[in-house]
Amino acid sequence: MLKPQNSPTRELINLDGLYSFKVDSDRAGLRDGWQQNKLDTALEMGVPASYNDIFTDSTIRDHVGWVWYQREVRLPRGWAGERVHIRLESATHEGKVFVNDVLVAEHVGGYTPFGADITDHVTPGTTFRLTIAVNNELTQATIPPGSIRQTEDGRRHQRYLHDFYNYAGLHRSIWLYSTPSLQVQDITVATGFTGTTGNIDYQIELGGVMDGPERVSVRILDADGKQVAAAAGAEGSVAIHDVVLWQPGKGYLYSMVAEVHNGGKLVDSYTQSFGVRTVEVRGNQFLINGEPFYFTGFGMHEDHVTIGKGHSPAHMVGDFQLLGWTGANSFRTAHYPYAEEVMDYADRHGIVVIDETAAVGLNALFAGFFGEGGKKTYAEDFVNEDTAASHRQAITELIARDKNHPSVVLWSIANEPAAAEEGAREYFEPLAALTRKLDPTRPVGFVNEISGTPETDRIADLFDVLMLNRYYGWYVHTGDLALAERALEAELGAWEEKYGRPIIVTEYGADTIPGLHSLYDQPWSEEYQAALLDMYHRVFDRTAAVVGEHVWNFADFQTSNGIIRVDGNRKGAFTRDRRPKAAAHSLRRRWAQVQHRKPDGQEG
């Protein structure tokens, strides 16, 4: 689904703002048809935002089930004769959209967009009632998974197997937009280059009513808007001479203007930005544009005070500024697809992205950690065929949304699954194959946790890059950095020897209370966090196959209630309100010096 835009043939209206808001405590809304009338509520809720931290009522924060949003929308009278569409960037984790009384769209999966053509249900120049029901429930059939139990006093309690808070609601923008009856429905761009010539392959998919000899053409514009190439046909190739490459730190973008004409008349026009670059894994190197690339940065979260996972342009720019301040050149979208505006910003500014699905918690080890022990991971009552179907959907929708972003260089299809358990290969082999089929231009990986060692892991050979989350010095060998250093180096060496593939350490770090100081290696102190990171970096510099370091985490973030966390996860280099800890300054000094590694693994 192409992102809506204004163009010579399209118009776009943003529907963000305040909505009437009602919590469906008795699970009656769908049964009683709340969409048929004005919501009986005095509450209002802002969109986009999580609703959990907005209200003072704890029953709203802890609610499990459906909530309802509603507002009146006026359709421009100038849209007569156009197709009218609605698009939600996300509804976490399930959404149903009603126009007046009619269900027009529904979707399960909290981090990718969905929508509908609502032309037959609205009249230009008049208003309609927009009602959106959002459900935050997680089950064994969802990605990410979870379970629901009922307490003795009748309350419903959501259990989930990931270590970040299950924020819910309408986290991203809602759009109303018009298109012609015949429209550009999808665009796929793949790029390469030979010498100074860029090679662009494209495919354009049309949708809607075709009533004649439609002609499709494309024009390629450079960053200044000058036409540098053109081609005819819905599928083909085009060359850009004296091409300017998209590079890390230099996000040069071209525009592909796809146009549909009929009888000499412009029917539809859509502009797709893209960058010319290549990505390749060769031996133990990760190459961008044929040059070795070394990842520096973080795993991150969409998480801010009050708005939770709600997208905010100002917060986004602030976070990217801090990434630049530290010297980070990349990040991972842990553990779900981020707002599309984040990807657009990374494209424009040359920030490299590891793009991850919401498949976190596929591991019986964490089931025990979160109070549901005794499970096998790959079993009928846990990760089963229903889970796999949702996982296939998540991969498909992620690639469909983000395939044209030059910033995305690697697909991560899961975070910390049970890679050493029986059944892992049968589950992941078809998913890896699906990812490559949908996008043969990018490497594919998954993020491995510590129980999947070089000796026990069953699936690493299915993937192009080894992505490892390791916590030596924190969860393992806590407080003993000398022992942790030896253990880390031994394991990385074993991976290097067995596979000879690039290794990105995608998580490493220590929980840290800002302002807690110590003369000694005392866990939770700012000095210990900085010393632990320094230890990892010494090992990385001695391991040729390591091509990247992503600290966990960029900033402290909220987690579920529990005694193992003190007001959330405190592994951030920054606090939740983005104040730097000592580690942030340490990382800034290191990343100012880190260069791309030479083919022999030595520092450049």
Side-chain angles (χ1 to χ4, degrees), residues 146-162:
S147 61
I148 298 170
R149 65 177 177 85
Q150 189 160 323
T151 61
E152 292 180 359
D153 59 1
R155 290 175 293 119
R156 303 175 78 238
H157 178 70
Q158 174 74 69
R159 287 180 170 173
Y160 50 95
L161 309 178
H162 52 269

Side-chain angles (χ1 to χ4, degrees), residues 441-452:
T441 71
R442 290 177 176 88
V444 181
F446 82 100
V447 174
N448 167 294
E449 55 87 19
I450 198 166
S451 66

Side-chain angles (χ1 to χ4, degrees), residues 416 469-476 507-509 536 552 571:
E416 297 190 342
N469 292 353
R470 292 298 182 266
Y471 288 99
Y472 294 106
W474 190 246
Y475 298 121
V476 180
E507 291 184 24
Y508 62 106
Y536 274 78
W552 189 257
K571 294 186 180 70

Side-chain angles (χ1 to χ4, degrees), residues 240-252:
I240 301 175
H241 300 291
D242 298 320
V243 68
V244 180
L245 299 180
W246 188 97
Q247 301 179 64
K250 298 179 182 179
Y252 192 92

